[in-house]
Amino acid sequence: MSKIKVMTVFGTRPEAIKMAPLALELANRPEFTPLCCVTAQHREMLDSVLDIFSLKPDYDLNVMEPRQTLSTITSKCLNGMDSVLAEARPDLVLVHGDTSTTFAGALAAFYHKIPVGHVEAGLRTYDKWSPFPEEINRKLTGAIADLHFCPTVSNRDNLARENITDGVFVTGNTVIDALQTTVVKDFHFSEKKLNTLDYVNQKVILVTCHRRENYGQPMANIMIALRRIADTFHNAVLVYPVHLSPVVQETARKYLGDHPRIHLISPLDVREMHNLMARCHIVMTDSGGLQEEAPALGKPVLVLRRETERPEAVAAGTVRLVGVEAEPVFQMAAHLLSDQAEYNKMAHAVNPYGDGQACRRIADAISWHFGARNTPPEEFRG
C-alpha cells in the first residue's frame, strides 16, 4: 500500500503548539508521508514554536502584514493554499481549531476535493459573535471536514446535535501531549525578570488578555480589576506577556504600565509560557488554550470572558468563568488569593482534556480511515 500523504496546515502560535506534536507523530509513523504548510498568520510567534519543536515547513505562505483584517487574512490564505494544494496533492489536509487559517485551509482543500481532518473539533459557545470570529470559523470547518478529532465526549455530542456523526473520534487534546515536551524542572527564562521572581513566597498571577471581543470597555474593565488586585494583595505579582496587537499594547500600558508588581513583558515562546504556567499560582486569561493547559499543571484558571467553548473544565472545577466586569473579576481573584481551601479545590481537580496520547489516537484514526490499520483507535474518556 502506498503511503498516506497528510498535510498539516496552521498559522498562529496556538495552532502550532497543538499541531507540532501531531506533525512529529506523523513523521515517526511508517504509513505516512507528512507535509507541513504554514500561513504565518502570526509570523514571529509562529516561528518560535517551529524552532522549539524543530519543525521545518514544506510550504510557507507568509501572509502576515501590519493591521491585517480578517478578510485580508482569509483571502490571502485561500489564494496561497490554492497553489500549494495543486502542487502537493495530499490525501488529507489537517487543520486545527478555529482560526482564519483553519477555515481557509479547509475551504481550499474542499475546492480541490481533498478530504479534511479537523483537529480540536466540536467546540461551541452557540454565540456567533463570541468568540469572534472563531465560533463561525469552527462551525464552517466542521461542515467541510470529513474526519473530526474531538478532545472530549461533550465536543462529540455537540457535533451529533448538528447531525455530524460519521468520522468522529474522541482523542483528548494534543496540547497535553505538547506539555510533556516543553515543561522541565530546572528551566531558565530568557526574560531575566522571570528568573528573579519568588514563586514560593509570592503569588504569581499569569495574565493573558487579547481577544477581539474584549477590545474596548471589556478590556478596560479587566485591566482595572488587575490593577486593583495588585494594589490590594501585596504578595501578588502579575506577569502579563502582552500580545503584539496595537490595541492590546496600548490598553495594557494605559492601565498597568507603572505598577511595581505588574510586569508587562514581551510575548513568550511556548516553552517559556508553559514553564511560567507551571510555576505560577493562578492563571487569568481570555485565551482558549490556556484553559486546557493550566489544569494539566494544577493551576486554577479564571476565564476573562462571558462564555467558554470549553465547559468541561468548568464542570470539572478547574476553571471558573468570571466575565469581563471589573468587580466580579476582582472578587473571584481575591477569593482564590485569600481562601486556601477554595484554591486547593480548583488546583487538585481532574483535568478533563487528555492523557498525553491524543496525537497517537489521531494518527491511528487516520490510518484506520485509509485502510492501513485494522482497528479504530480507542476513545479518550476524560
Side-chain angles (χ1 to χ4, degrees), residues 179 183 273-275 277-278 292-299 347 351:
L179 287 170
V183 176
M273 179 63 98
H274 284 174
N275 280 281
M277 203 183 312
E292 301 150 348
E293 296 162 352
L297 298 169
K299 307 301 175 179
N351 176 35

Side-chain angles (χ1 to χ4, degrees), residues 360-382:
R360 177 181 59 80
R361 293 189 183 96
I362 293 170
D364 286 348
I366 296 169
S367 291
W368 181 66
H369 176 78
F370 282 95
R373 175 186 167 95
N374 293 326
T375 56
E378 88 281 6
E379 276 197 352
F380 167 66
R381 298 184 181 276

Side-chain angles (χ1 to χ4, degrees), residues 52-73:
I52 286 165
F53 286 93
S54 299
L55 278 180
K56 184 173 176 56
D58 299 283
Y59 301 92
D60 189 334
L61 303 185
N62 198 28
V63 303
M64 185 173 176
E65 61 183 59
R67 295 187 182 268
Q68 57 195 355
T69 67
L70 294 173
S71 298
T72 301
I73 299 167

Side-chain angles (χ1 to χ4, degrees), residues 111-262:
Y111 286 160
H112 285 261
K113 297 187 177 180
I114 297 170
V116 173
H118 188 194
V119 180
E120 199 175 272
L123 278 67
R124 297 290 186 270
T125 64
Y126 299 104
D127 179 350
K128 67 187 282 186
W129 301 112
S130 183
F132 173 83
E134 288 85 356
E135 178 72 3
I136 291 301
N137 283 340
R138 54 186 168 232
K139 290 189 76 172
L140 293 171
T141 302
I144 293 170
D146 303 274
L147 300 176
H148 310 262
F149 304 112
C150 300
T152 69
V153 170
S154 66
N155 301 149
R156 181 187 63 191
D157 293 344
N158 288 341
L159 293 180
R161 282 190 283 272
E162 298 169 16
N163 295 317
I164 298 173
T165 55
D166 292 335
V168 179
F169 303 88
V170 179
T171 62
N173 198 299
T174 58
V175 76
I176 310 303
D177 302 37
L179 287 170
Q180 296 178 339
T181 300
T182 55
V183 176
V184 296
K185 183 178 180 182
D186 298 318
F187 186 78
H188 185 80
F189 294 95
S190 61
E191 171 64 62
K192 294 180 181 178
K193 196 173 295 179
L194 299 181
N195 294 314
T196 66
L197 298 180
D198 185 347
Y199 296 99
V200 176
N201 297 308
Q202 290 186 306
K203 295 185 175 180
V204 176
I205 302 173
L206 171 59
V207 176
T208 75
C209 184
H210 68 275
R211 299 197 79 89
R212 288 174 184 265
E213 65 266 26
N214 279 342
Y215 284 10
Q217 193 58 50
M219 191 169 287
N221 293 341
I222 291 166
M223 301 299 164
I224 290 167
L226 293 174
R227 189 176 186 93
R228 185 178 169 194
I229 291 165
D231 287 339
T232 305
F233 295 90
H234 299 295
N235 66 336
V237 176
L238 279 64
V239 178
Y240 182 1
V242 185
H243 195 277
L244 297 176
S245 159
V247 174
V248 179
Q249 291 271 337
E250 291 161 11
T251 307
R253 289 196 191 99
K254 177 180 177 181
Y255 290 95
L256 306 175
D258 60 349
H259 197 288
R261 281 180 290 103
I262 300 177

